[in-house]
Amino acid sequence: MPRYERPIATVDAALFTLVDGGLTLALTRREREPYKGQLALFGGYVHTDEDEDTAATARRILREKGGIALSYLEQLYTFSGKVRDPRGWSLSVAYYALVRPHELQSGDARQIELIPIGKVPALPFDHNRIVELALARLRGKASYSSLPAFLLPPTFTLSQLQDVYERVLGHALDKSSFRRKIESQGVITPVEQMVRGGRHRPAQLYRLSDRHLAEFDRLISTA
Amino acid sequence: MPRYERPIATVDAALFTLVDGGLTLALTRREREPYKGQLALFGGYVHTDEDEDTAATARRILREKGGIALSYLEQLYTFSGKVRDPRGWSLSVAYYALVRPHELQSGDARQIELIPIGKVPALPFDHNRIVELALARLRGKASYSSLPAFLLPPTFTLSQLQDVYERVLGHALDKSSFRRKIESQGVITPVEQMVRGGRHRPAQLYRLSDRHLAEFDRLISTA
């Protein structure tokens, strides 16, 4: 066996959701030193006695520290080095997920703080770098996939769909080119039912097409 | 400090290059147990006393075990769990790179075995999974970037450019749509000099455009 010390091995998780005005990050206050009492990503040690792998570590930490049950998180990047943790040479396997608001609302409200992504404070360790990379990855993925649509109810209007893309991407989209793109990619399928919008004519409702439900399954199950 | 044992922390590197007919993977014979004498990816322990981070671990391992000097490798994915290494719960931060043939030829030839990617044998640990994911990532990236062009000399013909894309991607490309795509994206710039090809008319030579040299810099410096 090697002569040198093994690194500290941790997992951190950046969870995003939509709350009111926009994209929001779930943080928690650290219960222990270092940085006790500060807002940080959900994170903790790999427990080699009980975790199957680091994805299981991430799920366990969210369950134990936030009461959050997630079946899937995507691996983001592994941050490592001598200086990122005052306890010594460390390595953090970072995960991220875009979750539906109710997946956080069913968690332990005392442990979860939802911060709009424009208002994330200075975080301990290299957590701000992790958040930045997670956000870039999420937006990169959102712009070529149906991912944001999974924040919507099963049926939705085109306006609602555009709204959720804009909130995830963080900028406005041109209405006609958005609709052209969505329609040309066969992302959505019209459903029979119509919404009666006050004095306006009823808006057509849509659902995600079967093909895109399948795409999403591939998306979330690819390493 | 935690009560449980820290995981074994290693780094593995999948290096690809072009040799003769196609895409080739650099492997090495393991000098120690487990799997002593078997072909495997270049890999080894994180040395917390000397490595700045896991990228530095990857560069050190390639230098020490293969005489290979690389300034950049891209992080691929972190593989982890109880069962992937017979020594115990382990975590391997995997890296990959597409390198120019001379970068391997200047290495220690006794330590490097170049295997065409269609002929990679069963490898120890989960190294076949690492190779599979690295190859998928490389091809995904190659198909929307100028990455494969960096295997060419500074000036090249359109045929040479198409050839190198086909070798990296592993399938034939339609000549006219390839040229249309390359030209519409402004990947290349014609250069003055012409090649005299025997009885054929001289072929136009190109170089990568400045914009795409810049794109490549971004590509290789993005986490």
Side-chain angles (χ1 to χ4, degrees), chain A residues 15-176:
Chain A
L15 301 188
F16 298 97
T17 194
L18 283 186
V19 178
D20 305 333
L23 201 58
T24 297
L25 178 68
L27 297 174
T28 192
R29 289 206 180 269
R30 288 182 57 82
E31 295 195 333
R32 296 199 191 86
E33 295 295 349
Y35 308 111
K36 187 175 171 179
Q38 289 191 37
L39 278 181
L41 293 177
F42 283 94
Y45 290 110
V46 172
H47 288 187
T48 51
D49 56 345
E50 56 176 330
D51 301 336
E52 196 60 41
D53 53 25
T54 54
T57 306
R59 291 192 298 271
R60 176 182 52 74
I61 287 167
L62 289 170
R63 197 176 61 239
E64 290 178 357
K65 298 192 175 179
I68 301 164
L70 286 188
S71 56
Y72 179 79
L73 295 106
E74 174 140 332
Q75 195 185 109
L76 175 67
Y77 194 78
T78 295
F79 295 81
S80 65
K82 283 179 186 172
V83 295
R84 57 176 298 283
D85 188 318
R87 291 167 291 190
W89 213 108
S90 75
L91 189 152
S92 174
V93 187
Y95 286 81
Y96 76 105
L98 180 64
V99 303
R100 295 181 173 93
H102 73 80
E103 292 178 286
L104 295 181
Q105 283 153 9
S106 63
D108 181 348
R110 291 160 307 175
Q111 305 299 330
I112 304 171
E113 299 208 24
L114 295 175
I115 311 287
I117 51 136
K119 294 181 176 168
V120 174
L123 302 175
F125 309 104
D126 46 9
H127 285 190
N128 290 96
R129 267 187 75 204
I130 298 177
V131 172
E132 203 179 314
L133 185 63
L135 194 57
R137 191 78 66 86
L138 176 67
R139 288 180 162 166
K141 189 159 272 195
S143 65
Y144 68 82
S145 80
S146 52
L147 186 59
F150 287 82
L151 295 171
L152 290 170
T155 61
F156 45 81
T157 65
L158 274 175
S159 297
Q160 287 175 317
L161 185 65
Q162 180 172 346
D163 185 61
V164 80
Y165 272 86
E166 288 179 342
R167 285 166 191 243
V168 171
L169 295 173
H171 58 80
L173 297 167
D174 174 69
K175 183 169 164 177
S176 59

Side-chain angles (χ1 to χ4, degrees), chain A residues 1-9 44-55 57 75-83 87 89 91 93 95 129 133 137 222-223, chain B residues 1-9 44-55 57 75-83 87 89 91 93 95 129 133 137 222-223:
Chain A
M1 292 306 287
R3 58 188 158 69
Y4 38 81
E5 199 188 12
R6 292 180 181 180
I8 294 166
Y45 290 110
V46 172
H47 288 187
T48 51
D49 56 345
E50 56 176 330
D51 301 336
E52 196 60 41
D53 53 25
T54 54
T57 306
Q75 195 185 109
L76 175 67
Y77 194 78
T78 295
F79 295 81
S80 65
K82 283 179 186 172
V83 295
R87 291 167 291 190
W89 213 108
L91 189 152
V93 187
Y95 286 81
R129 267 187 75 204
L133 185 63
R137 191 78 66 86
T222 305
Chain B
M1 292 306 287
R3 58 188 158 68
Y4 38 80
E5 199 188 10
R6 292 181 181 178
I8 295 166
Y45 289 110
V46 172
H47 288 187
T48 51
D49 55 346
E50 55 176 330
D51 301 335
E52 195 60 41
D53 53 24
T54 54
T57 306
Q75 195 184 110
L76 174 68
Y77 194 77
T78 295
F79 295 81
S80 65
K82 283 180 188 175
V83 295
R87 292 166 291 190
W89 213 107
L91 189 153
V93 187
Y95 285 81
R129 267 188 75 205
L133 186 62
R137 191 79 65 86
T222 305

